[in-house]
Amino acid sequence: MTSPDSYTGSADAAVATAAARAGADVVRALYGRRLDRIDKGAGDFATAADVEAEAAILDVIRAARPDDAVLGEEGGQRGAADAERQWLVDPLCGTLNYAVGNMLVAVNVALRDGAAAVADPFSGEVFFTDGETAWVRRDGADDTLLTPTPATRLVDVNLDPPFPSAPAFRAVELLAHPEFVDRFRPRVVSTTLALAWVAAGKRAAYVTDGGDLSGSVHFAAGIALCRAAGCVVTGIDGAPIGEAGRGLVAAADEETHGLLMSMTRTRS
């Protein structure tokens, strides 16, 4: 398992990457075991993998940045909520998948308005950014710059509740839009991998409803990656993501973003 001590004093991007890899080590090690479910209400739950991965991530952050605050999906707020530096941690994005043996999961670590990393525990890929440029690191290979492209024509659409913009907007309606069918092929992946894949050119776009997702432990790392890679990132209404934001559209280029926006507007 990754030793947090070796990252003390390193750059924020290295801290984020080390923390995400530490969480991914735990998620991979516990995969396939029978894990008790910790009920969180409304059909949501965590497992020991979520809790232990978050602990491993916190070990890295505490060793390298002991004065920083942390908001974790499982452990909540540690340190002042209005701290100048706050890390957002989702130790296992895709718990529903993981619990049934599906490997489409991610580990998210993001410094608010700064560096971020998304680790895929099973491919060994770590997508990371220093806040300005984005790369992918694969075991035994040099870092590669993330280059978005719409060439795949694959668009991930998050169909999970809640649906705060309904009935004006429901992401599922995109799948029945004639122009969407002509131009794109839908995929459904409810993890930050979808956003990392847009940044990496594996997906053309990602669409989800929601409120302000910029400070969400589920989305902050993926949004940071897409922005740093040069993707077009807005809310579902085309407005900048922020306190008044609504959902998320992250697209590889302006044309793809414009097409999706035109389709969402015709459904509104």
Side-chain angles (χ1 to χ4, degrees), residues 103-121:
M103 293 182 178
L104 289 176
V105 302
V107 176
N108 306 336
V109 179
L111 178 63
R112 189 184 290 273
D113 300 322
V118 173
D120 182 336

Side-chain angles (χ1 to χ4, degrees), residues 175-250:
L175 307 184
H177 194 292
E179 192 173 2
F180 186 95
V181 175
D182 288 342
R183 298 296 295 264
F184 303 113
R185 291 295 177 267
R187 294 294 182 271
V188 180
V189 179
S190 298
T191 85
T192 308
L193 278 180
L195 286 168
W197 288 345
V198 175
K202 297 182 180 183
R203 292 288 194 267
Y206 174 84
V207 181
T208 185
D209 197 356
D212 173 18
L213 302 179
S214 62
S216 166
V217 297
H218 305 292
F219 289 93
I223 290 171
L225 281 174
C226 285
R227 283 176 166 164
C231 301
V232 182
V233 181
T234 71
I236 57 174
D237 54 359
I241 295 174
E243 292 183 2
R246 290 177 53 226
L248 174 66
V249 177

Side-chain angles (χ1 to χ4, degrees), residues 55-153:
I57 292 167
L58 288 174
D59 284 346
V60 174
I61 296 175
R62 284 170 176 157
R65 299 290 186 266
D67 297 327
D68 291 358
V70 178
L71 176 61
E73 165 72 1
E74 307 308 330
Q77 182 68 41
R78 297 172 176 86
D82 59 351
E84 183 177 345
R85 289 171 54 89
Q86 182 188 50
W87 294 86
L88 306 170
V89 174
D90 185 355
L92 179 48
C93 184
T95 302
L96 288 170
N97 281 342
Y98 186 81
V100 297
N102 187 312
M103 293 182 178
L104 289 176
V105 302
V107 176
N108 306 336
V109 179
L111 178 63
R112 189 184 290 273
D113 300 322
V118 173
D120 182 336
F122 300 104
S123 74
E125 294 176 313
V126 182
F127 307 88
F128 66 99
T129 176
D130 58 4
E132 296 182 0
T133 309
W135 302 268
V136 61
R137 178 173 297 168
R138 299 178 178 90
D139 292 338
D142 293 334
D143 296 343
T144 303
L145 194 68
L146 294 185
T147 306
T149 172
T152 66
R153 298 175 63 203

